[in-house]
Amino acid sequence: MKILLTTLNSKFIHTNLAIRYLKSYTKDLVDADIREYTINNDLDYILKDIYKNDYDVILFSTYIWNVLDIVKLCENIKKVKPNTIIGLGGPEVTYDSENAMEKYPFVDYILCGEGELVFRDLVMYLQGNKNIEDVEGIVYRNNGGDKLTTKNVLFLTNNNLFEKKVSFYLHVTKNPLPLHL
């Protein structure tokens, strides 16, 4: 199974830590690709770049500056490769996930809350090692196309998870945090 974790950053100098966290939390399960674009890239360029890599699952990290372009990409990906599984995460879809599923019928999953834990469980489900009903913090469509929500949205309540995020940030940026933990 080929998985892409991607986003459209606001500038080419920005990097998205969220998709790196997701990759880190599933490195023992799958080797997911990371590809970052910017809102200044042509959408056809992005679509071609994603299409040529023949991904089975594509997960987008959404924010206020990229959500409209991302949903256009998702819709077009489903047109050219309808069996691709598309998921969205991030603040622009989490707060109103059920309505987003109704608004975007080409989206298969919305990951809510702490995406690392939800994504890990989703990968386990896609690999056949977990029931979808046991994936907490996800909105999904069943085989009939009906929108369903699982119980419990996962939020950062685990200090160990916070410490892992801080440690990962320090490793990726090679810079010390300007605060005391």
Side-chain angles (χ1 to χ4, degrees), residues 5-65:
L5 303 170
T6 189
T7 193
L8 283 82
N9 295 319
S10 60
K11 294 182 179 181
F12 74 92
I13 59 171
H14 294 165
T15 191
N16 184 289
L17 287 176
I19 58 179
R20 285 166 175 76
Y21 291 144
L22 297 180
K23 181 179 174 93
S24 173
Y25 264 70
T26 57
K27 65 183 174 189
D28 62 320
L29 299 174
V30 68
D31 184 23
D33 289 348
I34 290 179
R35 299 188 71 79
E36 293 182 82
Y37 307 95
T38 74
I39 57 174
N40 297 314
N41 288 124
D42 182 70
L43 292 182
D44 285 338
Y45 163 79
I46 299 170
L47 179 63
K48 288 176 192 174
D49 191 55
I50 291 172
Y51 178 81
K52 74 179 180 185
N53 287 290
D54 197 30
Y55 292 104
D56 302 303
V57 180
I58 303 170
L59 206 67
F60 288 90
S61 181
T62 62
Y63 298 90
I64 194 166
W65 61 82

Side-chain angles (χ1 to χ4, degrees), residues 3 8 78 82 103 141 173:
I3 297 178
L8 283 82
K78 280 291 192 177
K103 190 174 179 181
R141 299 179 198 286
T173 62

Side-chain angles (χ1 to χ4, degrees), residues 69-87:
D69 285 342
I70 283 177
V71 295
K72 288 177 193 173
L73 281 169
C74 292
E75 185 173 24
N76 287 327
I77 288 167
K78 280 291 192 177
K79 287 178 182 175
V80 297
K81 197 167 180 254
N83 292 328
T84 302
I85 296 168
I86 295 177

Side-chain angles (χ1 to χ4, degrees), residues 77-111:
I77 288 167
K78 280 291 192 177
K79 287 178 182 175
V80 297
K81 197 167 180 254
N83 292 328
T84 302
I85 296 168
I86 295 177
L88 302 178
E92 287 306 305
V93 293
T94 294
Y95 77 95
D96 197 17
S97 55
E98 291 187 44
N99 285 333
M101 287 294 277
E102 289 176 15
K103 190 174 179 181
Y104 310 125
F106 40 84
V107 172
D108 301 297
Y109 300 99
I110 294 180
L111 287 68

